[in-house]
Amino acid sequence: MTEQTQRPAVEQPGPEEAVAHEAVPHEVVTHETVAPETVAPDAAPDAVPGRSPLPALPPPPAAVRKDRRALRAALRWTAVAAVFCLVGAGTAYGISRMERTDLPGLATASDGRWDYPELVRPPLPPGSPGPLEAGNHAGTHYADLRALVLPAPRGATVEPGARGTDGWVPVKDFLADYADVEKRRELAQKLTDHGLRHIAGRGWTTPDGTRTTIRLLRFGTAAVSETLLAGDLANTGAPAYPVRGAEYYALDETFPPEAHMKGVTLFPYTEAEPYGAEQVRQAYFSAGDTIAVITQTREGGVDAVPFRQTVTLQTELLS
């Protein structure tokens, strides 16, 4: 047996199979890359196809701490804002309650008025009318005359001797303010003739050196006091009896009209220039059965504002 007969026969491919092998050569065939299944970040675990639902997981601890820190910061800033609101409201209320002169930068210059305490008239006996009431024909002051003297302003030095004994001023002390001896005797006689009852008074000196003296002379009726004032003590030109240190006067025509009260006869004077080391301002007025004599002196000149203020306040007390 020959070698050719010992080898097995090799099957030759059929026509169809040869065509198939030729159509798909080995070099063209590649492995396709299959993309893995992707899941949207916000999708829930149970929304992934082919997976079983999973329970929701708690947020990470770091996020919880961050949220708490943000909450605490917000609360702190809210508290700070509330405190500022309260402080601002309190400050605004405090400023609204303050006087303009108490505010730095808004204070206005003083106009020269003195700081008098609150004035309170003494009580009248039950059923007694005021001195200027229509039913009080005699113009009688039923209140204690000593309680009707204007008090000293704050900061002034009160002169004890100006009040006399128990608030009653002796006639000789009143006359001592007048310069001329003969004039003093004449004035003393007129006071006696018109039935002077008593004199109440007070005196003080303010820090600026102004010396003030107030004398209240009480008579029997308003008719008597008005007659003595207009006929013997004062006129439109000058007081009839000059006080010490002043010889020439002029009627103060600039005295505010609103300070002239109804039922009160007022004569305000100022010493005319040239005056000596001190200037004198003086006022005479009658209110009911009482004549008031107010005198102010000061080296270099008496300010008009406190003088008019003093006269006006004393007028109110006697009205």
Side-chain angles (χ1 to χ4, degrees):
M1 188 178 255
T2 62
E3 180 179 0
Q4 199 171 17
T5 58
Q6 292 178 353
R7 294 178 180 179
V10 177
E11 293 183 0
Q12 298 293 325
E16 293 180 358
E17 293 178 357
V19 173
H21 282 282
E22 293 176 356
V24 185
H26 287 285
E27 292 79 7
V28 177
V29 177
T30 59
H31 295 282
E32 293 183 0
T33 303
V34 179
E37 294 180 350
T38 58
V39 181
D42 296 336
D46 56 356
V48 179
R51 295 183 183 179
S52 60
L54 297 176
L57 297 177
V64 174
R65 288 195 295 271
K66 182 177 180 181
D67 291 343
R68 289 179 179 176
R69 287 197 298 270
L71 178 60
R72 284 197 296 269
L75 292 176
R76 283 198 298 269
W77 281 109
T78 302
V80 171
V83 170
F84 273 106
C85 290
L86 292 175
V87 172
T91 303
Y93 175 78
I95 291 178
S96 67
R97 301 292 297 174
M98 294 175 69
E99 297 293 338
R100 180 178 178 85
T101 52
D102 295 333
L103 299 179
L106 296 180
T108 55
S110 172
D111 60 1
R113 286 180 293 178
W114 290 343
D115 184 15
Y116 279 100
E118 183 178 359
L119 303 183
V120 179
R121 290 189 181 95
L124 296 172
S128 301
L132 302 184
E133 291 186 18
N136 191 349
H137 301 291
T140 304
H141 283 88
Y142 289 99
D144 190 335
L145 191 64
R146 293 170 294 184
L148 294 175
V149 182
L150 184 68
R154 294 182 177 90
T157 302
V158 178
E159 300 178 9
R163 296 188 71 248
T165 304
D166 296 332
W168 299 118
V169 179
V171 176
K172 64 179 182 62
D173 291 352
F174 170 72
L175 296 173
D177 293 335
Y178 295 89
D180 188 85
V181 175
E182 292 299 324
K183 290 288 187 179
R184 289 202 299 267
R185 291 174 181 172
E186 181 182 323
L187 179 56
Q189 187 60 49
K190 289 184 177 181
L191 295 178
T192 300
D193 294 343
H194 287 81
L196 175 65
R197 294 190 173 182
H198 41 242
I199 303 174
R202 179 172 285 118
W204 63 80
T205 302
T206 51
D208 66 350
T210 303
R211 181 176 182 270
T212 302
T213 303
I214 297 178
R215 301 284 188 251
L216 304 184
L217 293 74
R218 186 180 178 188
F219 297 89
T221 63
V224 173
S225 64
E226 291 176 3
T227 300
L228 177 62
L229 175 65
D232 298 296
L233 297 181
N235 54 58
T236 56
Y241 300 95
V243 295
R244 293 179 180 274
E247 297 182 6
Y248 304 102
Y249 292 87
L251 190 66
D252 187 359
E253 297 180 353
T254 64
F255 204 89
E258 57 271 17
H260 293 262
M261 299 186 63
K262 185 178 180 180
V264 175
T265 304
L266 172 63
F267 294 92
Y269 302 103
T270 179
E271 185 181 4
E273 296 181 354
Y275 47 80
E278 292 185 337
Q279 185 188 29
V280 176
R281 287 185 183 267
Q282 197 171 33
Y284 289 79
F285 69 87
S286 63
D289 61 359
T290 301
I291 294 176
V293 182
I294 300 176
T295 306
Q296 286 189 347
T297 61
R298 179 174 178 263
E299 184 177 354
V302 178
D303 293 336
V305 171
F307 172 71
R308 294 167 182 170
Q309 178 192 15
T310 302
V311 173
T312 301
L313 294 179
Q314 183 59 77
T315 304
E316 292 178 356
L317 280 176
L318 287 175
S319 301

